[in-house]
Short mmCIF file of all heavy atoms in Angstrom, two decimals:
data_model
loop_
_atom_site.label_atom_id
_atom_site.label_comp_id
_atom_site.label_asym_id
_atom_site.label_seq_id
_atom_site.Cartn_x
_atom_site.Cartn_y
_atom_site.Cartn_z
N GLY X 8 -8.89 6.92 4.12
CA GLY X 8 -9.97 6.45 3.29
C GLY X 8 -9.47 5.71 2.04
O GLY X 8 -8.29 5.68 1.71
N LEU X 9 -10.45 5.15 1.35
CA LEU X 9 -10.18 4.30 0.19
C LEU X 9 -9.53 5.06 -0.98
O LEU X 9 -8.53 4.60 -1.55
CB LEU X 9 -11.49 3.65 -0.29
CG LEU X 9 -11.39 2.63 -1.40
CD1 LEU X 9 -10.47 1.49 -1.05
CD2 LEU X 9 -12.79 2.10 -1.73
N SER X 10 -10.06 6.21 -1.29
CA SER X 10 -9.55 6.99 -2.42
C SER X 10 -8.08 7.42 -2.15
O SER X 10 -7.23 7.29 -3.01
CB SER X 10 -10.43 8.22 -2.66
OG SER X 10 -9.87 8.99 -3.71
N ALA X 11 -7.81 7.93 -0.96
CA ALA X 11 -6.49 8.36 -0.63
C ALA X 11 -5.52 7.20 -0.63
O ALA X 11 -4.36 7.32 -1.11
CB ALA X 11 -6.48 9.04 0.76
N GLY X 12 -5.96 6.05 -0.13
CA GLY X 12 -5.08 4.90 -0.10
C GLY X 12 -4.74 4.43 -1.50
O GLY X 12 -3.58 4.12 -1.81
N TYR X 13 -5.75 4.41 -2.39
CA TYR X 13 -5.49 3.96 -3.77
C TYR X 13 -4.54 4.92 -4.47
O TYR X 13 -3.61 4.52 -5.17
CB TYR X 13 -6.79 3.86 -4.52
CG TYR X 13 -6.52 3.45 -5.99
CD1 TYR X 13 -6.30 2.14 -6.33
CD2 TYR X 13 -6.47 4.45 -6.99
CE1 TYR X 13 -6.00 1.79 -7.65
CE2 TYR X 13 -6.19 4.09 -8.29
CZ TYR X 13 -5.97 2.75 -8.63
OH TYR X 13 -5.69 2.41 -9.92
N GLN X 14 -4.76 6.23 -4.31
CA GLN X 14 -3.91 7.20 -5.00
C GLN X 14 -2.45 7.08 -4.54
O GLN X 14 -1.53 7.15 -5.35
CB GLN X 14 -4.45 8.62 -4.71
CG GLN X 14 -5.76 8.93 -5.41
CD GLN X 14 -6.21 10.34 -5.06
OE1 GLN X 14 -5.49 11.32 -5.30
NE2 GLN X 14 -7.42 10.46 -4.53
N PHE X 15 -2.24 6.94 -3.26
CA PHE X 15 -0.88 6.79 -2.73
C PHE X 15 -0.23 5.54 -3.26
O PHE X 15 0.92 5.51 -3.74
CB PHE X 15 -0.89 6.79 -1.21
CG PHE X 15 0.37 7.34 -0.56
CD1 PHE X 15 0.34 8.47 0.22
CD2 PHE X 15 1.59 6.69 -0.75
CE1 PHE X 15 1.48 8.96 0.82
CE2 PHE X 15 2.75 7.18 -0.17
CZ PHE X 15 2.72 8.34 0.62
N TRP X 16 -0.98 4.41 -3.21
CA TRP X 16 -0.48 3.14 -3.67
C TRP X 16 -0.12 3.17 -5.16
O TRP X 16 0.95 2.74 -5.56
CB TRP X 16 -1.55 2.06 -3.43
CG TRP X 16 -1.23 0.74 -4.06
CD1 TRP X 16 -0.45 -0.25 -3.49
CD2 TRP X 16 -1.62 0.25 -5.35
NE1 TRP X 16 -0.36 -1.31 -4.35
CE2 TRP X 16 -1.08 -1.04 -5.48
CE3 TRP X 16 -2.41 0.78 -6.37
CZ2 TRP X 16 -1.28 -1.79 -6.64
CZ3 TRP X 16 -2.60 0.06 -7.52
CH2 TRP X 16 -2.03 -1.24 -7.63
N LYS X 17 -1.01 3.73 -5.98
CA LYS X 17 -0.80 3.80 -7.44
C LYS X 17 0.38 4.74 -7.76
O LYS X 17 1.18 4.43 -8.66
CB LYS X 17 -2.07 4.31 -8.12
CG LYS X 17 -1.95 4.36 -9.68
CD LYS X 17 -1.77 2.96 -10.24
CE LYS X 17 -2.00 2.94 -11.74
NZ LYS X 17 -1.08 3.82 -12.51
N ALA X 18 0.49 5.82 -7.07
CA ALA X 18 1.58 6.75 -7.34
C ALA X 18 2.94 6.11 -6.99
O ALA X 18 3.97 6.33 -7.68
CB ALA X 18 1.39 8.06 -6.52
N LEU X 19 2.99 5.34 -5.93
CA LEU X 19 4.22 4.62 -5.59
C LEU X 19 4.53 3.59 -6.68
O LEU X 19 5.70 3.43 -7.11
CB LEU X 19 4.07 3.90 -4.24
CG LEU X 19 4.22 4.75 -2.98
CD1 LEU X 19 3.99 3.91 -1.76
CD2 LEU X 19 5.60 5.40 -2.92
N LEU X 20 3.53 2.85 -7.12
CA LEU X 20 3.71 1.84 -8.17
C LEU X 20 4.24 2.50 -9.43
O LEU X 20 5.12 1.96 -10.13
CB LEU X 20 2.44 1.06 -8.41
CG LEU X 20 2.52 -0.10 -9.40
CD1 LEU X 20 3.49 -1.18 -8.85
CD2 LEU X 20 1.15 -0.71 -9.63
N ASP X 21 3.69 3.65 -9.79
CA ASP X 21 4.14 4.39 -11.00
C ASP X 21 5.62 4.78 -10.87
O ASP X 21 6.30 5.00 -11.89
CB ASP X 21 3.29 5.65 -11.19
CG ASP X 21 1.89 5.32 -11.65
OD1 ASP X 21 1.65 4.19 -12.13
OD2 ASP X 21 1.02 6.22 -11.51
N ARG X 22 6.11 4.85 -9.67
CA ARG X 22 7.52 5.19 -9.41
C ARG X 22 8.38 3.96 -9.15
O ARG X 22 9.52 4.05 -8.67
CB ARG X 22 7.64 6.22 -8.26
CG ARG X 22 7.14 7.59 -8.66
CD ARG X 22 6.75 8.43 -7.46
NE ARG X 22 6.34 9.78 -7.87
CZ ARG X 22 5.17 10.07 -8.43
NH1 ARG X 22 4.27 9.10 -8.61
NH2 ARG X 22 4.85 11.32 -8.80
N GLY X 23 7.82 2.79 -9.43
CA GLY X 23 8.59 1.58 -9.31
C GLY X 23 8.71 0.98 -7.91
O GLY X 23 9.61 0.24 -7.64
N ILE X 24 7.77 1.39 -7.02
CA ILE X 24 7.74 0.86 -5.65
C ILE X 24 6.46 0.12 -5.43
O ILE X 24 5.36 0.79 -5.45
CB ILE X 24 7.93 1.97 -4.63
CG1 ILE X 24 9.18 2.79 -4.89
CG2 ILE X 24 7.95 1.38 -3.21
CD1 ILE X 24 10.49 2.06 -4.75
N TYR X 25 6.49 -1.16 -5.19
CA TYR X 25 5.25 -1.92 -4.89
C TYR X 25 5.12 -2.14 -3.39
O TYR X 25 6.01 -2.68 -2.72
CB TYR X 25 5.27 -3.27 -5.58
CG TYR X 25 4.04 -4.11 -5.21
CD1 TYR X 25 2.87 -3.95 -5.90
CD2 TYR X 25 4.09 -5.03 -4.17
CE1 TYR X 25 1.73 -4.70 -5.57
CE2 TYR X 25 3.00 -5.76 -3.80
CZ TYR X 25 1.80 -5.57 -4.48
OH TYR X 25 0.71 -6.30 -4.15
N VAL X 26 3.96 -1.74 -2.86
CA VAL X 26 3.58 -2.03 -1.47
C VAL X 26 2.19 -2.63 -1.53
O VAL X 26 1.51 -2.62 -2.53
CB VAL X 26 3.62 -0.77 -0.57
CG1 VAL X 26 5.00 -0.13 -0.55
CG2 VAL X 26 2.60 0.25 -1.04
N ASN X 27 1.77 -3.16 -0.40
CA ASN X 27 0.40 -3.75 -0.30
C ASN X 27 -0.63 -2.70 0.08
O ASN X 27 -0.38 -1.93 1.04
CB ASN X 27 0.34 -4.87 0.71
CG ASN X 27 1.20 -6.04 0.28
OD1 ASN X 27 2.13 -6.46 0.99
ND2 ASN X 27 0.90 -6.63 -0.86
N LEU X 28 -1.70 -2.59 -0.62
CA LEU X 28 -2.86 -1.81 -0.23
C LEU X 28 -3.86 -2.77 0.43
O LEU X 28 -4.40 -3.65 -0.23
CB LEU X 28 -3.50 -1.11 -1.41
CG LEU X 28 -4.80 -0.35 -1.15
CD1 LEU X 28 -4.56 0.79 -0.13
CD2 LEU X 28 -5.35 0.24 -2.46
N LEU X 29 -4.06 -2.60 1.73
CA LEU X 29 -4.94 -3.52 2.48
C LEU X 29 -6.25 -2.79 2.76
O LEU X 29 -6.28 -1.67 3.28
CB LEU X 29 -4.26 -3.95 3.79
CG LEU X 29 -2.88 -4.63 3.59
CD1 LEU X 29 -2.34 -5.08 4.94
CD2 LEU X 29 -2.94 -5.81 2.63
N LEU X 30 -7.35 -3.54 2.53
CA LEU X 30 -8.69 -2.95 2.65
C LEU X 30 -9.57 -3.75 3.60
O LEU X 30 -9.32 -4.96 3.80
CB LEU X 30 -9.36 -2.93 1.24
CG LEU X 30 -8.53 -2.34 0.11
CD1 LEU X 30 -9.23 -2.61 -1.24
CD2 LEU X 30 -8.30 -0.87 0.31
N PRO X 31 -10.58 -3.13 4.15
CA PRO X 31 -11.57 -3.88 4.92
C PRO X 31 -12.23 -4.92 4.00
O PRO X 31 -12.34 -4.67 2.81
CB PRO X 31 -12.58 -2.81 5.36
CG PRO X 31 -11.87 -1.50 5.19
CD PRO X 31 -10.90 -1.69 4.07
N PRO X 32 -12.63 -6.08 4.49
CA PRO X 32 -12.67 -6.46 5.92
C PRO X 32 -11.37 -7.15 6.40
O PRO X 32 -11.37 -7.72 7.49
CB PRO X 32 -13.81 -7.47 5.96
CG PRO X 32 -13.74 -8.14 4.60
CD PRO X 32 -13.27 -7.09 3.64
N SER X 33 -10.29 -7.09 5.60
CA SER X 33 -9.05 -7.79 6.01
C SER X 33 -8.24 -6.95 6.98
O SER X 33 -7.16 -7.38 7.39
CB SER X 33 -8.24 -8.14 4.78
OG SER X 33 -7.81 -6.99 4.11
N THR X 34 -8.66 -5.77 7.32
CA THR X 34 -7.92 -4.85 8.22
C THR X 34 -8.70 -4.61 9.49
O THR X 34 -9.92 -4.65 9.51
CB THR X 34 -7.66 -3.50 7.52
OG1 THR X 34 -8.89 -2.97 7.10
CG2 THR X 34 -6.72 -3.69 6.34
N PRO X 35 -7.99 -4.35 10.60
CA PRO X 35 -8.69 -4.05 11.85
C PRO X 35 -9.42 -2.72 11.80
O PRO X 35 -8.95 -1.76 11.17
CB PRO X 35 -7.53 -3.96 12.89
CG PRO X 35 -6.36 -4.60 12.22
CD PRO X 35 -6.55 -4.39 10.76
N ASP X 36 -10.60 -2.70 12.40
CA ASP X 36 -11.33 -1.47 12.59
C ASP X 36 -11.69 -0.74 11.29
O ASP X 36 -11.89 0.48 11.28
CB ASP X 36 -10.56 -0.45 13.48
CG ASP X 36 -10.15 -1.12 14.83
OD1 ASP X 36 -10.97 -1.88 15.38
OD2 ASP X 36 -9.03 -0.86 15.29
N GLY X 37 -11.79 -1.48 10.18
CA GLY X 37 -12.21 -0.93 8.94
C GLY X 37 -11.20 0.06 8.32
O GLY X 37 -11.53 0.88 7.49
N GLU X 38 -9.95 -0.04 8.70
CA GLU X 38 -8.94 0.90 8.22
C GLU X 38 -8.48 0.55 6.79
O GLU X 38 -8.55 -0.60 6.37
CB GLU X 38 -7.68 0.88 9.13
CG GLU X 38 -7.95 1.36 10.54
CD GLU X 38 -6.74 1.24 11.41
OE1 GLU X 38 -5.90 0.37 11.15
OE2 GLU X 38 -6.64 1.96 12.41
N VAL X 39 -8.03 1.57 6.07
CA VAL X 39 -7.32 1.37 4.80
C VAL X 39 -5.86 1.68 5.06
O VAL X 39 -5.52 2.76 5.57
CB VAL X 39 -7.86 2.33 3.74
CG1 VAL X 39 -7.04 2.19 2.43
CG2 VAL X 39 -9.34 2.04 3.44
N VAL X 40 -4.98 0.74 4.74
CA VAL X 40 -3.56 0.90 5.10
C VAL X 40 -2.68 0.52 3.94
O VAL X 40 -3.03 -0.33 3.07
CB VAL X 40 -3.18 0.09 6.33
CG1 VAL X 40 -4.02 0.44 7.55
CG2 VAL X 40 -3.28 -1.39 6.05
N LEU X 41 -1.51 1.14 3.88
CA LEU X 41 -0.42 0.72 3.00
C LEU X 41 0.56 -0.07 3.88
O LEU X 41 0.95 0.39 4.98
CB LEU X 41 0.28 1.89 2.37
CG LEU X 41 -0.51 2.74 1.39
CD1 LEU X 41 0.39 3.85 0.84
CD2 LEU X 41 -1.05 1.90 0.25
N ARG X 42 0.98 -1.23 3.42
CA ARG X 42 1.92 -2.07 4.19
C ARG X 42 3.24 -2.20 3.45
O ARG X 42 3.26 -2.75 2.32
CB ARG X 42 1.29 -3.43 4.50
CG ARG X 42 2.21 -4.30 5.40
CD ARG X 42 1.58 -5.62 5.75
NE ARG X 42 1.40 -6.46 4.59
CZ ARG X 42 0.78 -7.65 4.60
NH1 ARG X 42 0.23 -8.07 5.71
NH2 ARG X 42 0.71 -8.36 3.49
N PHE X 43 4.31 -1.74 4.07
CA PHE X 43 5.65 -1.96 3.54
C PHE X 43 6.25 -3.17 4.23
O PHE X 43 6.31 -3.22 5.44
CB PHE X 43 6.55 -0.76 3.88
CG PHE X 43 6.26 0.52 3.12
CD1 PHE X 43 5.17 1.30 3.44
CD2 PHE X 43 7.10 0.90 2.10
CE1 PHE X 43 4.92 2.48 2.75
CE2 PHE X 43 6.85 2.11 1.39
CZ PHE X 43 5.75 2.86 1.73
N SER X 44 6.67 -4.16 3.44
CA SER X 44 7.38 -5.30 4.02
C SER X 44 8.85 -5.16 3.71
O SER X 44 9.23 -4.94 2.54
CB SER X 44 6.83 -6.61 3.40
OG SER X 44 5.50 -6.83 3.76
N VAL X 45 9.69 -5.27 4.73
CA VAL X 45 11.12 -5.05 4.60
C VAL X 45 11.84 -6.41 4.54
O VAL X 45 11.42 -7.37 5.21
CB VAL X 45 11.66 -4.22 5.78
CG1 VAL X 45 13.10 -3.85 5.54
CG2 VAL X 45 10.83 -2.99 5.99
N SER X 46 12.90 -6.46 3.77
CA SER X 46 13.69 -7.68 3.63
C SER X 46 15.13 -7.41 3.94
O SER X 46 15.67 -6.31 3.73
CB SER X 46 13.52 -8.25 2.21
OG SER X 46 14.42 -9.33 2.02
N ALA X 47 15.81 -8.47 4.40
CA ALA X 47 17.30 -8.37 4.56
C ALA X 47 17.95 -8.21 3.19
O ALA X 47 19.08 -7.74 3.12
CB ALA X 47 17.80 -9.64 5.22
N ALA X 48 17.24 -8.57 2.11
CA ALA X 48 17.81 -8.51 0.78
C ALA X 48 17.79 -7.08 0.19
O ALA X 48 18.46 -6.80 -0.79
CB ALA X 48 17.06 -9.45 -0.16
N HIS X 49 17.02 -6.18 0.79
CA HIS X 49 17.04 -4.78 0.32
C HIS X 49 18.42 -4.17 0.63
O HIS X 49 18.99 -4.42 1.69
CB HIS X 49 15.94 -3.95 1.05
CG HIS X 49 14.60 -4.20 0.54
ND1 HIS X 49 13.58 -4.68 1.34
CD2 HIS X 49 14.01 -4.04 -0.68
CE1 HIS X 49 12.46 -4.79 0.65
NE2 HIS X 49 12.71 -4.42 -0.60
N THR X 50 18.88 -3.37 -0.31
CA THR X 50 20.12 -2.62 -0.07
C THR X 50 19.78 -1.26 0.58
O THR X 50 18.65 -0.78 0.46
CB THR X 50 20.89 -2.39 -1.37
OG1 THR X 50 20.11 -1.49 -2.22
CG2 THR X 50 21.14 -3.70 -2.11
#
């Protein structure tokens, strides 16, 4: 749900980790998701 997604996203950001919080209608089936994008540049 929305509240759980926001809390997880904000807590990660407070710890210096930025991920995407994706919300309906941009997500399939009305889901709330956190998206981690990985890079070759990460150590």
Side-chain angles (χ1 to χ4, degrees):
L9 186 58
S10 177
Y13 177 81
Q14 290 180 56
F15 208 117
W16 172 86
K17 182 63 166 60
L19 283 177
L20 186 62
D21 289 343
R22 287 159 178 76
I24 305 294
Y25 175 84
V26 300
N27 295 120
L28 175 60
L29 304 183
L30 310 171
S33 63
T34 54
D36 306 321
E38 296 175 335
V39 175
V40 303
L41 294 182
R42 184 177 67 185
F43 288 76
S44 295
V45 188
S46 173
H49 285 119
T50 67

